[in-house]
Amino acid sequence: MSFENPSRDEIKTILEQSETIAVVGLSDNPERTSYMVSAAMQAKGYRIIPVNPNAASILGETAYSSLADIPFPVDIVNVFRRSEHTPGVAEEAAAIQAKTLWLQLGIAHDDAARIAQEAGMNVIMDRCIKVEDSILLPHGKSKS
């Protein structure tokens, strides 16, 4: 299967229509990329939901052990885990009916993309959500 990310216009629409981002692999260490990216997205107006079984809360939000433990809908599942872990994350994201599976810069996996696409999700791989958001929505999210 050859995979192509959505167009920039499609990614912009995904970001504009999303409010809740579950971050799988979000570290509670402020020096880690996952923390810095998530803090920046939170500052832009997104609700960041940490998915980290080793933390009680991160960025002022309750942390959950798994996607299945989150008791409300999630728009984007943003993944900061090594590529080999992403098919399982894709299955969890499909199970909670997330709208988008987003694999961060440097992370890609064809099986994860297939699983998510077959579940009807948007799939974005090997892109930084913070960079895309900064380029496509430089003034923050417009409240519709």
Side-chain angles (χ1 to χ4, degrees):
M1 170 180 118
S2 81
F3 175 82
E4 237 179 80
N5 277 317
S7 71
R8 277 264 157 90
D9 284 343
E10 290 170 298
I11 292 173
K12 181 177 181 181
T13 299
I14 289 166
L15 289 168
E16 285 174 335
Q17 293 176 350
S18 298
E19 293 179 11
T20 306
I21 304 173
V23 184
V24 177
L26 175 51
S27 172
D28 57 1
N29 179 346
E31 296 179 11
R32 298 293 302 263
T33 303
S34 63
Y35 186 98
M36 291 184 269
V37 166
S38 297
M41 295 301 287
Q42 189 180 56
K44 291 282 294 271
Y46 298 91
R47 181 172 184 197
I48 299 297
I49 307 303
V51 180
N52 179 335
N54 302 313
S57 74
I58 304 172
L59 294 169
E61 289 277 357
T62 300
Y64 295 90
S65 294
S66 71
L67 291 172
D69 292 334
I70 300 172
F72 44 80
V74 168
D75 296 312
I76 298 174
V77 173
N78 187 20
V79 184
F80 282 92
R81 300 275 322 271
R82 290 196 313 269
S83 296
E84 63 264 26
H85 297 292
T86 58
V89 175
E91 288 172 358
E92 285 186 45
I96 66 162
Q97 300 180 326
K99 295 179 184 135
T100 301
L101 178 70
W102 192 305
L103 306 185
Q104 275 295 130
L105 194 62
I107 306 170
H109 198 292
D110 286 343
D111 286 343
R114 179 187 51 75
I115 290 163
Q117 286 176 325
E118 287 176 359
M121 286 190 279
N122 302 303
V123 179
I124 299 162
M125 297 197 295
D126 192 23
R127 294 267 182 93
C128 177
I129 195 167
K130 176 181 175 285
V131 170
E132 296 298 314
D133 185 76
S134 295
I135 292 168
L136 299 170
L137 301 172
H139 305 294
K141 288 172 52 66
S142 59
K143 296 294 174 195
S144 45

